[in-house]
Coordinates of all heavy atoms in Angstrom, one line a residue:
M1 N -67.3 -103.6 -18.2 CA -66.9 -102.6 -17.3 C -67.0 -101.3 -18.1 O -66.6 -101.2 -19.3 CB -65.5 -102.9 -16.9 CG -64.9 -101.7 -16.1 SD -63.2 -101.9 -15.7 CE -62.4 -101.9 -17.3
S2 N -67.5 -100.2 -17.4 CA -67.5 -98.9 -18.1 C -67.1 -97.9 -17.1 O -67.6 -97.9 -15.9 CB -69.0 -98.7 -18.6 OG -69.0 -97.5 -19.3
I3 N -66.3 -96.9 -17.5 CA -65.8 -95.9 -16.6 C -66.0 -94.6 -17.4 O -65.7 -94.5 -18.6 CB -64.3 -96.0 -16.3 CG1 -64.1 -97.3 -15.5 CG2 -63.8 -94.8 -15.4 CD1 -62.6 -97.7 -15.3
C4 N -66.5 -93.5 -16.8 CA -66.7 -92.2 -17.4 C -66.0 -91.2 -16.6 O -66.2 -91.1 -15.4 CB -68.2 -92.0 -17.5 SG -68.5 -90.5 -18.5
R5 N -65.2 -90.3 -17.3 CA -64.5 -89.2 -16.6 C -64.5 -88.0 -17.6 O -64.1 -88.2 -18.7 CB -63.1 -89.5 -16.3 CG -62.8 -90.5 -15.2 CD -63.2 -89.9 -13.8 NE -62.9 -90.7 -12.7 CZ -63.7 -91.7 -12.2 NH1 -64.8 -92.0 -12.8 NH2 -63.3 -92.4 -11.2
K6 N -65.0 -86.9 -17.1 CA -65.0 -85.7 -17.9 C -65.5 -85.9 -19.3 O -64.9 -85.5 -20.3 CB -63.6 -85.1 -18.0 CG -63.1 -84.6 -16.6 CD -61.7 -83.9 -16.7 CE -61.3 -83.4 -15.4 NZ -60.1 -82.6 -15.5
W7 N -66.7 -86.5 -19.4 CA -67.4 -86.7 -20.6 C -66.7 -87.7 -21.6 O -67.0 -87.9 -22.7 CB -67.7 -85.4 -21.4 CG -68.5 -84.5 -20.5 CD1 -68.1 -83.4 -19.9 CD2 -69.9 -84.6 -20.2 NE1 -69.1 -82.9 -19.2 CE2 -70.2 -83.6 -19.4 CE3 -70.9 -85.6 -20.6 CZ2 -71.5 -83.4 -18.9 CZ3 -72.2 -85.4 -20.1 CH2 -72.5 -84.3 -19.2
N8 N -65.7 -88.4 -21.1 CA -65.0 -89.5 -21.8 C -65.4 -90.8 -21.2 O -65.3 -91.0 -20.0 CB -63.5 -89.3 -21.8 CG -63.0 -88.1 -22.5 OD1 -62.9 -88.0 -23.7 ND2 -62.8 -87.0 -21.7
Q9 N -65.7 -91.8 -22.1 CA -66.1 -93.1 -21.6 C -65.2 -94.2 -22.1 O -64.8 -94.2 -23.3 CB -67.6 -93.4 -22.0 CG -68.1 -94.6 -21.4 CD -69.6 -94.7 -21.5 OE1 -70.3 -93.8 -21.8 NE2 -70.1 -95.9 -21.3
F10 N -65.0 -95.1 -21.2 CA -64.2 -96.3 -21.5 C -65.0 -97.5 -21.2 O -65.6 -97.6 -20.1 CB -62.9 -96.3 -20.7 CG -62.1 -97.6 -20.9 CD1 -61.2 -97.7 -21.9 CD2 -62.2 -98.7 -20.0 CE1 -60.5 -98.9 -22.1 CE2 -61.5 -99.8 -20.2 CZ -60.6 -99.9 -21.3
T11 N -65.2 -98.4 -22.2 CA -66.0 -99.6 -22.0 C -65.1 -100.8 -22.5 O -64.5 -100.8 -23.5 CB -67.3 -99.6 -22.8 OG1 -68.0 -98.4 -22.3 CG2 -68.1 -100.8 -22.5
K12 N -65.1 -101.9 -21.7 CA -64.4 -103.1 -22.1 C -65.2 -104.3 -21.5 O -65.7 -104.2 -20.4 CB -63.0 -103.1 -21.5 CG -62.2 -104.4 -21.9 CD -60.8 -104.2 -21.7 CE -60.0 -105.4 -22.1 NZ -59.7 -105.5 -23.5
Y13 N -65.4 -105.3 -22.4 CA -66.2 -106.5 -22.0 C -65.2 -107.6 -21.6 O -64.2 -107.8 -22.2 CB -67.1 -106.9 -23.1 CG -68.1 -105.8 -23.5 CD1 -67.8 -104.9 -24.5 CD2 -69.2 -105.7 -22.7 CE1 -68.8 -103.9 -24.8 CE2 -70.2 -104.7 -23.0 CZ -69.9 -103.8 -24.1 OH -70.8 -102.8 -24.4
F14 N -65.6 -108.4 -20.6 CA -64.8 -109.5 -20.1 C -65.7 -110.7 -20.2 O -66.5 -111.0 -19.4 CB -64.4 -109.2 -18.7 CG -63.4 -108.1 -18.5 CD1 -63.9 -106.8 -18.5 CD2 -62.1 -108.3 -18.5 CE1 -63.0 -105.7 -18.4 CE2 -61.2 -107.2 -18.4 CZ -61.7 -105.9 -18.4
S15 N -65.4 -111.5 -21.3 CA -66.2 -112.7 -21.6 C -65.8 -113.9 -20.6 O -64.7 -114.2 -20.4 CB -65.9 -113.1 -23.0 OG -66.4 -114.4 -23.3
D16 N -66.9 -114.5 -20.1 CA -66.7 -115.7 -19.3 C -65.9 -116.8 -20.1 O -65.0 -117.4 -19.5 CB -68.0 -116.3 -18.8 CG -68.8 -115.4 -18.0 OD1 -68.3 -114.3 -17.6 OD2 -70.0 -115.7 -17.7
R17 N -66.2 -116.9 -21.3 CA -65.6 -117.9 -22.1 C -64.1 -117.6 -22.3 O -63.3 -118.5 -22.3 CB -66.3 -118.0 -23.5 CG -65.7 -119.1 -24.4 CD -66.5 -119.2 -25.6 NE -65.9 -120.3 -26.4 CZ -66.3 -120.6 -27.6 NH1 -67.3 -120.0 -28.2 NH2 -65.8 -121.6 -28.3
Q18 N -63.8 -116.4 -22.6 CA -62.4 -116.0 -22.8 C -61.5 -116.2 -21.5 O -60.4 -116.6 -21.6 CB -62.3 -114.5 -23.2 CG -60.9 -114.0 -23.4 CD -60.8 -112.6 -23.8 OE1 -61.8 -111.9 -23.7 NE2 -59.7 -112.1 -24.1
Y19 N -62.1 -116.0 -20.3 CA -61.4 -116.1 -19.1 C -61.6 -117.5 -18.4 O -61.0 -117.8 -17.4 CB -61.8 -115.0 -18.1 CG -61.2 -113.7 -18.6 CD1 -61.9 -112.9 -19.5 CD2 -59.9 -113.3 -18.3 CE1 -61.4 -111.7 -19.9 CE2 -59.4 -112.1 -18.7 CZ -60.1 -111.3 -19.5 OH -59.6 -110.1 -20.0
G20 N -62.5 -118.3 -18.9 CA -62.7 -119.6 -18.4 C -63.8 -119.8 -17.4 O -64.2 -120.9 -17.1
S21 N -64.1 -118.7 -16.7 CA -65.2 -118.7 -15.8 C -65.7 -117.3 -15.5 O -65.1 -116.3 -15.8 CB -64.8 -119.4 -14.4 OG -63.9 -118.5 -13.7
E22 N -66.9 -117.3 -14.9 CA -67.5 -116.0 -14.5 C -66.6 -115.3 -13.5 O -66.4 -114.1 -13.6 CB -68.9 -116.2 -14.0 CG -69.7 -115.0 -13.7 CD -71.1 -115.4 -13.3 OE1 -71.8 -116.2 -13.9 OE2 -71.5 -114.8 -12.2
E23 N -66.1 -116.0 -12.6 CA -65.3 -115.5 -11.5 C -64.0 -114.9 -12.0 O -63.6 -113.8 -11.6 CB -65.0 -116.5 -10.4 CG -66.2 -116.9 -9.6 CD -67.1 -118.0 -10.3 OE1 -66.6 -118.6 -11.3 OE2 -68.2 -118.2 -9.9
A24 N -63.4 -115.6 -13.0 CA -62.1 -115.2 -13.5 C -62.3 -113.9 -14.4 O -61.5 -113.0 -14.3 CB -61.5 -116.3 -14.4
A25 N -63.4 -113.8 -15.1 CA -63.7 -112.6 -15.9 C -64.0 -111.4 -15.0 O -63.5 -110.3 -15.3 CB -65.0 -112.9 -16.8
F26 N -64.7 -111.7 -13.9 CA -64.9 -110.6 -12.9 C -63.6 -110.1 -12.3 O -63.4 -108.9 -12.2 CB -65.9 -111.1 -11.8 CG -66.2 -110.1 -10.8 CD1 -67.0 -109.0 -11.2 CD2 -65.8 -110.2 -9.5 CE1 -67.4 -108.0 -10.2 CE2 -66.1 -109.2 -8.6 CZ -66.9 -108.2 -8.9
E27 N -62.7 -111.0 -11.9 CA -61.4 -110.7 -11.4 C -60.6 -109.9 -12.4 O -59.9 -108.9 -12.0 CB -60.7 -111.9 -10.9 CG -61.2 -112.5 -9.6 CD -61.2 -111.5 -8.4 OE1 -60.2 -110.8 -8.3 OE2 -62.2 -111.5 -7.7
A28 N -60.6 -110.3 -13.6 CA -59.9 -109.6 -14.7 C -60.4 -108.1 -14.8 O -59.7 -107.2 -15.0 CB -60.0 -110.3 -16.0
A29 N -61.8 -108.0 -14.8 CA -62.4 -106.7 -14.8 C -62.0 -105.8 -13.7 O -61.7 -104.6 -13.8 CB -63.9 -106.8 -14.9
L30 N -61.9 -106.4 -12.5 CA -61.5 -105.6 -11.3 C -60.1 -105.2 -11.4 O -59.7 -104.0 -11.1 CB -61.7 -106.4 -10.0 CG -63.2 -106.7 -9.6 CD1 -63.2 -107.6 -8.4 CD2 -63.9 -105.4 -9.4
Q31 N -59.2 -106.0 -11.9 CA -57.8 -105.7 -12.1 C -57.6 -104.6 -13.1 O -56.9 -103.6 -12.8 CB -57.0 -106.9 -12.4 CG -56.8 -107.9 -11.3 CD -55.9 -109.0 -11.7 OE1 -55.4 -109.1 -12.8 NE2 -55.7 -110.0 -10.8
M32 N -58.4 -104.7 -14.2 CA -58.3 -103.6 -15.2 C -58.8 -102.3 -14.6 O -58.2 -101.2 -14.8 CB -59.1 -104.0 -16.4 CG -59.1 -102.9 -17.5 SD -57.6 -102.7 -18.4 CE -57.5 -104.1 -19.4
R33 N -59.9 -102.4 -13.9 CA -60.5 -101.2 -13.3 C -59.5 -100.5 -12.3 O -59.2 -99.3 -12.4 CB -61.7 -101.5 -12.5 CG -62.3 -100.3 -11.7 CD -63.2 -100.7 -10.6 NE -62.3 -101.4 -9.6 CZ -62.8 -101.9 -8.4 NH1 -64.1 -102.0 -8.2 NH2 -62.0 -102.5 -7.6
D34 N -58.8 -101.3 -11.5 CA -57.8 -100.8 -10.6 C -56.6 -100.1 -11.3 O -56.2 -99.0 -10.9 CB -57.3 -101.8 -9.6 CG -58.4 -102.3 -8.7 OD1 -59.4 -101.7 -8.6 OD2 -58.2 -103.4 -8.1
K35 N -56.2 -100.7 -12.4 CA -55.1 -100.1 -13.2 C -55.5 -98.8 -13.8 O -54.7 -97.9 -13.8 CB -54.6 -101.1 -14.3 CG -53.9 -102.3 -13.7 CD -53.5 -103.2 -14.9 CE -52.8 -104.5 -14.3 NZ -52.4 -105.4 -15.4
I36 N -56.7 -98.8 -14.3 CA -57.2 -97.5 -14.9 C -57.4 -96.4 -13.9 O -57.0 -95.3 -14.1 CB -58.5 -97.8 -15.7 CG1 -58.3 -98.7 -16.9 CG2 -59.2 -96.4 -16.1 CD1 -59.5 -99.1 -17.6
F37 N -57.9 -96.8 -12.7 CA -58.1 -95.8 -11.7 C -56.7 -95.2 -11.2 O -56.6 -94.0 -11.0 CB -58.8 -96.3 -10.5 CG -60.3 -96.4 -10.7 CD1 -61.1 -97.1 -9.8 CD2 -61.0 -95.8 -11.7 CE1 -62.5 -97.2 -9.9 CE2 -62.3 -95.9 -11.9 CZ -63.1 -96.6 -11.0
E38 N -55.7 -96.1 -11.1 CA -54.4 -95.7 -10.8 C -53.8 -94.7 -11.8 O -53.2 -93.7 -11.5 CB -53.5 -96.9 -10.6 CG -52.1 -96.6 -10.2 CD -51.2 -97.8 -10.0 OE1 -51.7 -98.9 -9.6 OE2 -50.0 -97.8 -10.4
A39 N -54.0 -95.0 -13.1 CA -53.5 -94.2 -14.1 C -54.3 -92.8 -14.2 O -53.7 -91.8 -14.4 CB -53.7 -94.9 -15.5
L40 N -55.5 -92.9 -13.9 CA -56.3 -91.6 -13.8 C -55.9 -90.7 -12.6 O -55.9 -89.5 -12.8 CB -57.8 -91.9 -13.7 CG -58.5 -92.4 -14.9 CD1 -59.9 -92.9 -14.6 CD2 -58.6 -91.3 -16.0
Q41 N -55.4 -91.3 -11.5 CA -54.9 -90.5 -10.4 C -53.6 -89.8 -10.8 O -53.4 -88.7 -10.3 CB -54.7 -91.4 -9.2 CG -56.0 -91.8 -8.5 CD -55.8 -92.8 -7.4 OE1 -54.7 -93.3 -7.2 NE2 -56.8 -92.9 -6.5
K42 N -52.8 -90.5 -11.6 CA -51.5 -89.9 -12.0 C -51.8 -88.8 -13.1 O -50.9 -87.9 -13.2 CB -50.6 -91.0 -12.6 CG -50.1 -91.9 -11.5 CD -49.3 -93.0 -12.2 CE -48.9 -94.0 -11.1 NZ -48.1 -95.1 -11.7
N43 N -52.8 -88.9 -13.8 CA -53.1 -87.9 -14.9 C -54.6 -87.6 -15.0 O -55.3 -87.9 -15.9 CB -52.6 -88.6 -16.2 CG -52.5 -87.5 -17.3 OD1 -52.7 -86.4 -17.1 ND2 -52.2 -88.0 -18.5
P44 N -55.1 -86.9 -13.9 CA -56.5 -86.7 -13.9 C -57.1 -85.7 -14.9 O -58.3 -85.7 -15.2 CB -56.7 -86.1 -12.4 CG -55.4 -85.5 -12.1 CD -54.4 -86.4 -12.8
S45 N -56.2 -84.9 -15.5 CA -56.7 -83.9 -16.4 C -56.9 -84.4 -17.8 O -57.4 -83.8 -18.7 CB -55.8 -82.7 -16.4 OG -54.5 -83.0 -16.9
E46 N -56.4 -85.7 -18.1 CA -56.4 -86.2 -19.4 C -57.0 -87.6 -19.4 O -56.3 -88.6 -19.8 CB -55.0 -86.3 -20.0 CG -54.4 -84.9 -20.3 CD -55.2 -84.2 -21.4 OE1 -55.7 -84.8 -22.3 OE2 -55.3 -83.0 -21.3
P47 N -58.3 -87.8 -19.1 CA -58.8 -89.1 -19.1 C -58.8 -89.8 -20.5 O -58.7 -91.0 -20.6 CB -60.3 -88.9 -18.6 CG -60.6 -87.5 -18.8 CD -59.2 -86.8 -18.7
R48 N -59.0 -89.0 -21.5 CA -59.0 -89.6 -22.9 C -57.7 -90.3 -23.2 O -57.6 -91.4 -23.7 CB -59.2 -88.5 -23.9 CG -59.1 -89.1 -25.4 CD -59.5 -88.0 -26.4 NE -60.9 -88.0 -26.5 CZ -61.6 -87.1 -27.0 NH1 -61.0 -86.0 -27.6 NH2 -62.9 -87.1 -27.1
T49 N -56.6 -89.7 -22.8 CA -55.2 -90.3 -23.0 C -55.1 -91.6 -22.2 O -54.6 -92.6 -22.7 CB -54.1 -89.3 -22.6 OG1 -54.3 -88.1 -23.3 CG2 -52.8 -89.8 -22.8
V50 N -55.6 -91.6 -21.0 CA -55.5 -92.8 -20.1 C -56.4 -93.9 -20.8 O -55.9 -95.0 -20.9 CB -56.0 -92.5 -18.7 CG1 -56.2 -93.7 -17.9 CG2 -55.1 -91.5 -18.0
F51 N -57.6 -93.5 -21.2 CA -58.5 -94.5 -21.8 C -57.9 -95.1 -23.0 O -58.0 -96.3 -23.3 CB -59.9 -94.0 -22.0 CG -60.6 -93.6 -20.7 CD1 -61.7 -92.7 -20.8 CD2 -60.3 -94.2 -19.5 CE1 -62.4 -92.4 -19.7 CE2 -61.0 -93.9 -18.4 CZ -62.1 -93.0 -18.4
E52 N -57.3 -94.3 -23.9 CA -56.7 -94.7 -25.1 C -55.6 -95.7 -24.8 O -55.4 -96.7 -25.6 CB -56.2 -93.6 -25.9 CG -57.2 -92.8 -26.6 CD -58.0 -93.5 -27.7 OE1 -57.4 -94.3 -28.4 OE2 -59.2 -93.3 -27.8
S53 N -54.8 -95.5 -23.8 CA -53.7 -96.4 -23.5 C -54.2 -97.8 -23.0 O -53.5 -98.8 -23.2 CB -52.8 -95.8 -22.4 OG -53.5 -95.8 -21.1
F54 N -55.4 -97.9 -22.6 CA -56.0 -99.2 -22.2 C -56.9 -99.8 -23.3 O -57.4 -100.9 -23.1 CB -56.8 -99.1 -20.9 CG -55.9 -98.9 -19.7 CD1 -55.5 -97.7 -19.2 CD2 -55.4 -100.0 -19.0 CE1 -54.7 -97.5 -18.1 CE2 -54.6 -99.9 -17.9 CZ -54.2 -98.7 -17.5
K55 N -57.2 -99.0 -24.3 CA -58.2 -99.4 -25.3 C -57.9 -100.8 -25.9 O -58.9 -101.6 -26.0 CB -58.2 -98.4 -26.4 CG -59.3 -98.6 -27.5 CD -59.3 -97.5 -28.5 CE -60.4 -97.7 -29.5 NZ -60.4 -96.7 -30.5
N56 N -56.7 -101.2 -26.2 CA -56.4 -102.4 -26.9 C -55.7 -103.4 -25.9 O -55.0 -104.3 -26.4 CB -55.6 -102.2 -28.1 CG -56.4 -101.5 -29.2 OD1 -57.6 -101.8 -29.4 ND2 -55.9 -100.6 -29.8
S57 N -55.8 -103.2 -24.6 CA -55.1 -104.0 -23.7 C -55.6 -105.5 -23.8 O -56.8 -105.7 -23.9 CB -55.4 -103.5 -22.2 OG -54.8 -102.3 -22.0
E58 N -54.7 -106.4 -23.8 CA -55.0 -107.8 -23.9 C -55.1 -108.3 -22.4 O -54.5 -107.8 -21.5 CB -53.9 -108.5 -24.6 CG -53.8 -108.2 -26.1 CD -55.0 -108.7 -26.8 OE1 -55.5 -109.8 -26.5 OE2 -55.5 -108.0 -27.7
P59 N -55.8 -109.4 -22.3 CA -55.9 -110.0 -20.9 C -54.6 -110.5 -20.5 O -53.8 -111.0 -21.3 CB -57.0 -111.1 -21.1 CG -57.0 -111.4 -22.6 CD -56.6 -110.1 -23.3
E60 N -54.4 -110.5 -19.2 CA -53.1 -111.0 -18.7 C -53.2 -112.6 -18.8 O -54.2 -113.2 -18.4 CB -52.9 -110.6 -17.2 CG -52.7 -109.1 -17.1 CD -52.5 -108.7 -15.7 OE1 -52.1 -109.5 -14.9 OE2 -52.7 -107.5 -15.4
K61 N -52.1 -113.2 -19.2 CA -52.0 -114.6 -19.4 C -52.4 -115.4 -18.1 O -53.0 -116.4 -18.2 CB -50.6 -115.0 -19.9 CG -50.4 -114.6 -21.3 CD -49.0 -115.0 -21.8 CE -48.8 -114.5 -23.1 NZ -47.4 -114.9 -23.6
G62 N -52.0 -114.9 -17.0 CA -52.2 -115.6 -15.7 C -53.7 -115.6 -15.4 O -54.1 -116.4 -14.5
L63 N -54.5 -114.8 -16.0 CA -55.9 -114.8 -15.7 C -56.7 -115.8 -16.5 O -57.9 -116.1 -16.2 CB -56.5 -113.3 -16.0 CG -55.9 -112.3 -15.1 CD1 -56.4 -110.9 -15.5 CD2 -56.1 -112.5 -13.7
Q64 N -56.2 -116.3 -17.6 CA -56.9 -117.2 -18.5 C -56.8 -118.6 -17.9 O -55.8 -119.0 -17.3 CB -56.3 -117.2 -19.9 CG -56.5 -115.9 -20.6 CD -55.9 -116.0 -22.0 OE1 -55.4 -117.0 -22.4 NE2 -56.0 -114.9 -22.7
S65 N -57.8 -119.4 -18.1 CA -57.7 -120.8 -17.7 C -56.8 -121.5 -18.7 O -56.6 -121.1 -19.8 CB -59.1 -121.4 -17.8 OG -59.6 -121.6 -19.1
E66 N -56.3 -122.7 -18.3 CA -55.4 -123.5 -19.2 C -56.2 -123.9 -20.4 O -55.6 -123.9 -21.5 CB -54.9 -124.7 -18.4 CG -53.9 -124.4 -17.4 CD -53.4 -125.7 -16.8 OE1 -53.4 -126.8 -17.5 OE2 -53.0 -125.7 -15.6
E67 N -57.4 -124.2 -20.3 CA -58.3 -124.7 -21.4 C -58.4 -123.5 -22.5 O -58.2 -123.8 -23.7 CB -59.6 -125.1 -20.9 CG -60.6 -125.5 -22.0 CD -61.9 -126.0 -21.5 OE1 -61.9 -126.7 -20.5 OE2 -62.9 -125.5 -22.0
T68 N -58.6 -122.3 -22.0 CA -58.7 -121.2 -22.9 C -57.4 -120.9 -23.6 O -57.3 -120.6 -24.8 CB -59.2 -119.9 -22.2 OG1 -60.4 -120.2 -21.5 CG2 -59.4 -118.8 -23.1
A69 N -56.3 -121.0 -22.9 CA -55.0 -120.7 -23.4 C -54.6 -121.7 -24.5 O -54.0 -121.4 -25.5 CB -53.9 -120.7 -22.3
V70 N -54.9 -123.0 -24.2 CA -54.6 -124.1 -25.2 C -55.5 -123.9 -26.4 O -55.0 -124.1 -27.5 CB -54.9 -125.5 -24.5 CG1 -54.8 -126.6 -25.5 CG2 -53.9 -125.7 -23.4
A71 N -56.7 -123.6 -26.3 CA -57.6 -123.4 -27.4 C -57.1 -122.3 -28.3 O -57.3 -122.4 -29.5 CB -59.0 -123.1 -26.9
K72 N -56.4 -121.3 -27.8 CA -55.9 -120.2 -28.6 C -54.6 -120.5 -29.3 O -54.2 -119.9 -30.3 CB -55.7 -118.9 -27.8 CG -57.0 -118.3 -27.3 CD -56.7 -117.0 -26.6 CE -58.0 -116.3 -26.3 NZ -57.7 -115.0 -25.7
S73 N -54.0 -121.6 -28.9 CA -52.7 -122.0 -29.4 C -52.8 -122.6 -30.8 O -53.7 -123.2 -31.2 CB -51.9 -123.0 -28.5 OG -51.7 -122.4 -27.3

């Protein structure tokens, strides 16, 4: 996923393997996109600050398959 605002770019990859399936990775990307857009609406003049706050975001546990979660344990 890649978002660009005022010459600032945010890119994050969603691995099928990490999320357990292509569909789960896609859903995780959509959820992250929606959260970023919401944050950008609250602070439209500072996209860099918004992007930095999401830079190291971890995937939500509910989005991972059981197999992936067990493999990480």
Side-chain angles (χ1 to χ4, degrees):
M1 170 188 64
S2 186
I3 301 171
C4 186
R5 289 288 186 276
K6 294 187 179 183
W7 302 103
N8 293 281
Q9 185 164 348
F10 174 85
T11 301
K12 184 164 179 77
Y13 298 97
F14 294 84
S15 166
D16 298 353
R17 184 175 181 184
Q18 181 181 8
Y19 288 91
S21 72
E22 187 176 313
E23 293 81 15
F26 181 70
E27 287 299 319
L30 291 177
Q31 288 183 4
M32 176 70 74
R33 178 204 64 185
D34 293 345
K35 289 179 182 179
I36 292 172
F37 283 168
E38 183 179 320
L40 285 168
Q41 287 177 344
K42 292 177 183 176
N43 195 4
S45 63
E46 292 296 327
R48 176 177 280 166
T49 303
V50 171
F51 292 158
E52 285 294 321
S53 70
F54 286 93
K55 186 176 181 179
N56 295 318
S57 293
E58 291 294 321
E60 293 181 21
K61 291 181 182 177
L63 299 177
Q64 295 180 1
S65 70
E66 285 183 32
E67 181 179 308
T68 304
V70 170
K72 288 185 175 185
S73 299

